């Protein structure tokens, strides 16, 4: 079950069902719950993409140049040497897998959030 589309569909149906059960057949409450369950995953996914997109790197570099923060706190990737074996058994492979997993989770959160938010807006018309 590695397909993102399948997970988006499953989690969207689960959240819609949970919102409907929680709203107890009240239409307005259902729309509000659906909107909130859509906006929260959107915020999580947005935060992930902003942080990993390098938005805060400019601040870190600026503080480093002003000598406010110690230089060892923000090392660039180019400054590191090869400490792990290159056959994929070291920590580089684990970091890559962890990063791919978080990217997958953020993409699924984005998909579920967009669908729930759009559905709540369509139902409110």
């Amino acid at each position: 079950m590695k397909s993102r589309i399948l997970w988006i569909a499953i989690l969207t149906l689960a959240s819609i069902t949970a919102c409907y059960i929680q709203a107890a057949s009240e239409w307005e409450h259902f729309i509000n719950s659906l909107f909130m369950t859509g906006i929260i995953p959107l915020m999580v996914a947005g935060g992930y993409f902003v942080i990993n997109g390098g938005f805060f790197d400019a601040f870190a570099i600026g503080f480093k140049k002003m000598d406010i923060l110690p230089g060892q706190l923000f090392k660039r990737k180019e400054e590191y040497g090869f400490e792990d074996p290159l056959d994929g058994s070291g920590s580089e492979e684990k970091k890559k897998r962890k990063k791919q997993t978080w990217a997958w989770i953020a993409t699924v959160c984005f998909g579920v959030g967009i669908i729930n938010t759009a559905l709540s807006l369509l139902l409110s018309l």
Side-chain angles (χ1 to χ4, degrees):
M1 294 181 62
K2 290 186 176 185
S3 174
R4 293 177 188 181
I5 296 172
L6 179 63
W7 274 105
I8 289 171
I10 290 171
L11 292 175
T12 300
L13 289 174
S15 67
I16 290 171
T17 304
C19 286
Y20 184 76
I21 291 170
Q22 189 264 342
S25 301
E26 292 182 29
W27 193 249
E28 187 176 318
H29 195 172
F30 172 64
I31 292 172
N32 290 338
S33 298
L34 197 59
F35 181 78
M36 289 306 293
T37 59
I39 203 75
I40 291 171
L42 277 176
M43 290 175 59
V44 169
Y48 170 80
F49 288 120
V50 166
I51 290 170
N52 285 333
F55 180 75
F56 296 109
D57 289 346
F59 296 111
I61 291 170
F63 284 131
K64 185 178 175 184
K65 286 184 179 182
M66 291 189 308
D67 289 329
I68 293 175
L69 295 175
Q72 298 297 322
L73 189 60
F74 298 106
K75 279 191 173 182
R76 296 183 143 230
K77 291 179 183 175
E78 297 88 32
E79 295 177 14
Y80 290 109
F82 289 107
E83 297 172 0
D84 292 334
L86 298 176
D87 61 354
S89 63
S91 64
E92 291 176 358
E93 185 66 27
K94 291 177 185 176
K95 288 178 185 178
K96 184 179 175 183
R97 253 187 278 124
K98 186 176 180 180
K99 188 172 183 176
Q100 287 174 342
T101 303
W102 279 107
W104 187 87
I105 290 170
T107 305
V108 170
C109 282
F110 181 75
V112 171
I114 285 288
I115 292 171
N116 282 358
T117 306
L119 185 60
S120 71
L121 293 175
L122 287 174
L123 291 175
S124 66
L125 294 178

